[in-house]
Amino acid sequence: MIKNVSVADAIRTRRTVRHYLPDPVPAAHLDTLLDLAMQAPSSWNLQDRSVVVVSDTAGLEGLAWATGGQPQPQEAPVVLVFVAEPHAWRADRSDVYEQARRNGAWSDEFITGFAAASVEFQQGLAERGLEREYAVKDAMIAATYVMLAATEFGLATSPMNGWDEQKVKKTIGIEDRADLAIALLVSVGYAAEERIHPGRRALGHNVFHGRYQGA
């Protein structure tokens, strides 16, 4: 069911759901969610994140194992695994530049300068051991887009933490890929429970201007 919700409404009403109905997620809804995930901001347009859609019994059982028996993979019809690709900047990106050129977004002059600056920036991250962190941030942004977009379709989600990365990797077939990182698991389906908003602290507790003033 498609709901007429604003982005603000989606943010305020979305709750993390741990228990799901067995009803499948319509393929069209899932395709839209995946498309919107890939539309999320990506630093340097690097697009250094991928999504593995897990919906088969063996895969969901594997994620239940990887998450220590959490209910989401055991009940939700779909779990999305967001994979960060820290070394994506080292690969050929000519297709990204060509697409931007065709769309009239980037000129040849801009592409030349942008490509060089991007490599220099990423090399700096590599020297400081920050490639993984940088890619995980991009993947997390994409996951957030999915969770908000799902609200429009009346779907529930849960950003999952507390998993064993190597077990997750084994489940999705990348146990031998030390160059990849698991950023987040997001269950998707129809809620079998109602979650009431527990509330948030007043803005003054966490929002500061100019300088951090927390404890």
Side-chain angles (χ1 to χ4, degrees):
M1 179 179 65
I2 297 178
K3 298 181 178 181
N4 184 20
V5 295
S6 66
V7 174
D9 286 340
I11 292 171
R12 291 192 173 98
T13 61
R14 195 211 70 82
R15 302 265 63 80
T16 292
V17 169
R18 289 170 58 82
H19 297 287
Y20 294 83
L21 298 172
D23 307 44
V25 175
H29 290 356
L30 184 57
D31 287 345
T32 298
L33 293 181
L34 296 170
D35 176 63
L36 293 173
M38 294 301 99
Q39 295 297 325
S42 176
S43 182
W44 296 94
N45 199 22
L46 194 57
Q47 303 174 53
D48 51 349
R49 63 283 190 275
S50 295
V51 183
V52 177
V53 181
V54 180
S55 57
D56 63 293
T57 300
L60 292 171
E61 288 177 349
L63 293 182
W65 165 66
T67 59
Q70 292 187 52
Q72 294 94 314
Q74 300 181 61
E75 299 179 17
V78 176
V79 175
L80 305 179
V81 180
F82 286 80
V83 180
E85 303 167 346
H87 296 171
W89 65 276
R90 303 171 187 266
D92 178 25
R93 300 185 61 213
S94 58
D95 63 313
V96 173
Y97 300 142
E98 179 56 33
Q99 184 179 51
R101 182 186 292 110
R102 289 197 311 268
N103 289 342
W106 297 352
S107 67
D108 289 339
E109 181 180 8
F110 178 85
I111 290 171
T112 299
F114 182 88
S118 175
V119 169
E120 181 180 3
F121 180 82
Q122 296 294 332
Q123 286 174 334
L125 291 178
E127 291 169 1
R128 290 177 286 155
L130 296 176
E131 286 177 297
R132 177 189 173 103
E133 176 184 328
Y134 203 76
V136 166
K137 289 175 182 177
D138 259 18
M140 294 289 285
I141 295 171
T144 299
Y145 268 48
V146 164
M147 290 188 286
L148 293 179
T151 305
E152 180 181 358
F153 296 129
L155 292 165
T157 55
S158 174
M160 297 184 63
N161 210 335
W163 30 261
D164 183 296
E165 181 171 58
Q166 197 55 33
K167 290 181 178 179
V168 174
K169 283 186 168 185
K170 183 176 179 61
T171 298
I172 63 172
I174 57 171
E175 63 268 32
D176 59 340
R177 296 289 302 274
D179 60 312
L180 300 176
I182 304 301
L184 195 68
L185 275 61
V186 177
S187 54
V188 182
Y190 292 99
E193 61 177 346
E194 180 181 359
R195 299 300 294 259
I196 298 174
H197 197 329
R200 293 290 190 266
R201 287 169 163 165
L203 289 183
H205 190 277
N206 299 101
V207 178
F208 313 107
H209 297 274
R211 292 179 179 275
Y212 178 76
Q213 300 171 31

